[in-house]
Amino acid sequence: MRWLILFMIPVLLFGPAVPANAEEAAPYDFQSECSAQEETETQTDLFSIADEYIDMDAIQSQLSESTDSDQFSFSQTIRHLLSGQIPFEPDRLLQYVGELFLGELRQQKNIVLQILVIVLSCAVFSNFIHIFKSSQIAEIGFYMIYFLVCTMLLHSFVDMSMIGQQACNAMYDFMKVLLPSYLVTVVLCAGSISAVGFYEITVLGISLMQGVLLKLILPAIHFYMIVLLLNQIGKEDYFSQLSSLIETMISWSVKTILGVVLGLQAVQCLIAPAVDSMKNSGLHRLAKAIPGVGSMLDSALETVAGSALIIKNAVGIAGILALSFICLLPIAKLAACMLLFKLLCALIQPISEKRMVAGIESLSKSIGLILRVLVASLAIFVISLAMITASITGG
């Protein structure tokens, strides 16, 4: 027995440990749960701060009014961004865009089929008339069919023009509501110089687009459409140079506005944040110099600036996503209509008269210009928000 006891002592001391139960085998990770709980509380605190300084209800109301839909939630998007999550599912986004595009194709299908039937009838009628060598009757028949097609084309063009104009106005109204809330986060994060500079240039962009794009360029596109249709009435080419001049002026105007606004924004993003950063560095050094409470005050200032930076980035990205959502349906409608009429021109070109094909092609060209104006307006706001969001890093 004594030898057995002497043999068991080393085994008990140096042998493998056997857990008494499952809880001892897998100890409770209290530190991980505390970290997760602290992270959740931090995200909740950040969202509470954002909700306090940002008028979420007004932004959501304007967004719902602009899109006639409640599918995009501005507050939920900010909540997802503050928690580090993607605010949308890529698969569902692609599916939604595809449904919008196909839905617009189905809506425009009827008028395209009507024009196709009319053009085919015109081709058969023209060939039948040419058998009897009656050119005057054929010409009169062409004019009747062409004016009928022009009426249908103008109807579609007016609808597409209204869609583009309403989308631009919706972006302007949304930016007017978003801008004050976003500038509050910029002031808390960087300073007043960056906020004022961003406000002035954004207001300048809104004024230029409302004064030039909507009041000059869109009417010029209407005139461009009329000129293209009138150019196909006669067999001679009378207005091709005029239409080319109008298209060039529209293209240059859009590019000039885009370049001026983004150029000023780039200069502002290079200078204003640096000035605010230098001013904030001086305040931090002054706070540290206060005896007794200097380090505590400096830590509090850094905490406030860091929280404001996170909220500012979340609001900026949410604003970019909201602007994209506003323009998603109008862009899909314009692109689908332009594609359908280009396809119609490709189908009727072998059998129809070239003046009829050119008249239908004028609609796709005009819609392309409207689409260019809409995309340029969206690019101005999106790039401006992206630049100010990326350039201000606190300080």
Side-chain angles (χ1 to χ4, degrees):
M1 179 63 68
R2 187 183 348 179
W3 293 102
L4 181 61
I5 293 173
L6 292 175
F7 175 75
M8 291 296 295
I9 288 175
V11 173
L12 293 174
L13 290 177
F14 302 102
V18 180
N21 49 40
E23 293 180 356
E24 295 179 1
Y28 180 70
D29 194 356
F30 180 75
Q31 185 175 2
S32 299
E33 181 174 343
C34 288
S35 300
Q37 185 176 1
E38 289 177 358
E39 183 179 357
T40 304
E41 292 177 355
T42 302
Q43 295 166 3
T44 304
D45 293 339
L46 287 175
F47 183 77
S48 300
I49 297 172
D51 193 19
E52 180 179 355
Y53 286 100
I54 299 170
D55 194 355
M56 300 278 189
D57 295 334
I59 295 175
Q60 184 62 45
S61 176
Q62 181 60 48
L63 185 60
S64 300
E65 182 181 351
S66 300
T67 58
D68 294 329
S69 173
D70 294 328
Q71 295 183 4
F72 187 93
S73 175
F74 192 81
S75 60
Q76 288 298 324
T77 301
I78 291 181
R79 187 184 293 273
H80 286 139
L81 291 171
L82 291 177
S83 61
Q85 301 176 1
I86 299 177
F88 58 88
E89 297 179 6
D91 296 337
R92 292 187 60 184
L93 178 62
L94 293 176
Q95 181 182 0
Y96 179 68
V97 173
E99 289 177 355
L100 289 179
F101 188 78
L102 294 176
E104 185 59 27
L105 288 178
R106 287 191 292 266
Q107 288 184 2
Q108 295 292 332
K109 179 181 65 175
N110 294 330
I111 188 171
V112 170
L113 290 177
Q114 292 174 5
I115 294 177
L116 180 60
V117 171
I118 293 173
V119 170
L120 291 177
S121 303
C122 178
V124 174
F125 176 76
S126 299
N127 291 328
F128 179 76
I129 292 298
H130 284 312
I131 295 176
F132 299 97
K133 298 181 180 180
S134 180
S135 59
Q136 293 182 351
I137 298 178
E139 194 69 19
I140 293 173
F142 168 78
Y143 287 142
M144 293 175 60
I145 299 298
Y146 183 72
F147 289 145
L148 177 60
V149 171
C150 286
T151 303
M152 302 175 70
L153 293 177
L154 288 174
H155 178 73
S156 296
F157 174 74
V158 171
D159 290 341
M160 294 298 107
S161 178
M162 289 297 297
I163 289 173
Q165 184 175 357
Q166 290 173 1
C168 291
N169 287 325
M171 282 192 294
Y172 305 152
D173 294 338
F174 177 76
M175 284 299 297
K176 290 177 182 178
V177 176
L178 176 67
L179 200 58
S181 298
Y182 184 64
L183 293 180
V184 170
T185 62
V186 174
V187 171
L188 293 176
C189 176
S192 59
I193 297 178
S194 299
V196 171
F198 175 62
Y199 176 78
E200 290 177 349
I201 296 176
T202 305
V203 170
L204 173 64
I206 293 175
S207 301
L208 283 176
M209 283 184 287
Q210 285 184 331
V212 178
L213 292 181
L214 293 182
K215 295 183 179 180
L216 292 179
I217 292 183
L218 282 182
I221 296 175
H222 287 224
F223 183 66
Y224 173 77
M225 174 72 179
I226 298 298
V227 169
L228 289 178
L229 293 177
L230 290 176
N231 192 41
Q232 309 307 321
I233 293 179
K235 293 183 179 180
E236 298 294 332
D237 187 6
Y238 293 107
F239 302 113
S240 61
Q241 294 301 320
L242 178 59
S243 62
S244 178
L245 176 63
I246 297 173
E247 184 179 4
T248 302
M249 292 177 61
I250 292 172
S251 179
W252 284 4
S253 300
V254 173
K255 292 178 181 178
T256 301
I257 294 175
L258 186 63
V260 168
V261 175
L262 295 184
L264 292 175
Q265 196 67 263
V267 174
Q268 183 69 28
C269 289
L270 289 174
I271 297 176
V275 176
D276 281 327
S277 178
M278 183 180 64
K279 183 175 65 175
N280 292 335
S281 298
L283 291 176
H284 282 290
R285 287 193 295 268
L286 181 62
K288 283 184 178 180
I290 299 176
V293 296
S295 59
M296 185 182 303
L297 182 60
D298 183 66
S299 299
L301 290 175
E302 290 181 355
T303 303
V304 171
S307 301
L309 178 63
I310 297 173
I311 295 172
K312 184 263 302 178
N313 292 341
V315 175
I317 297 173
I320 292 173
L321 295 176
L323 287 170
S324 303
F325 183 76
I326 290 173
C327 294
L328 195 59
L329 180 58
I331 288 176
K333 288 184 175 182
L334 292 172
C337 187
M338 184 176 65
L339 179 63
L340 269 179
F341 281 97
K342 281 186 175 295
L343 179 61
L344 178 61
C345 292
L347 290 176
I348 67 173
Q349 187 176 15
I351 60 174
S352 180
E353 190 172 352
K354 64 178 183 179
R355 290 185 293 170
M356 185 70 71
V357 177
I360 297 175
E361 187 184 10
S362 64
L363 177 61
S364 62
K365 289 182 178 179
S366 302
I367 293 176
L369 291 178
I370 296 174
L371 184 61
R372 185 182 303 179
V373 171
L374 178 58
V375 172
S377 302
L378 175 63
I380 287 175
F381 292 131
V382 167
I383 297 176
S384 296
L385 284 174
M387 290 171 66
I388 197 71
T389 301
S391 62
I392 296 179
T393 57

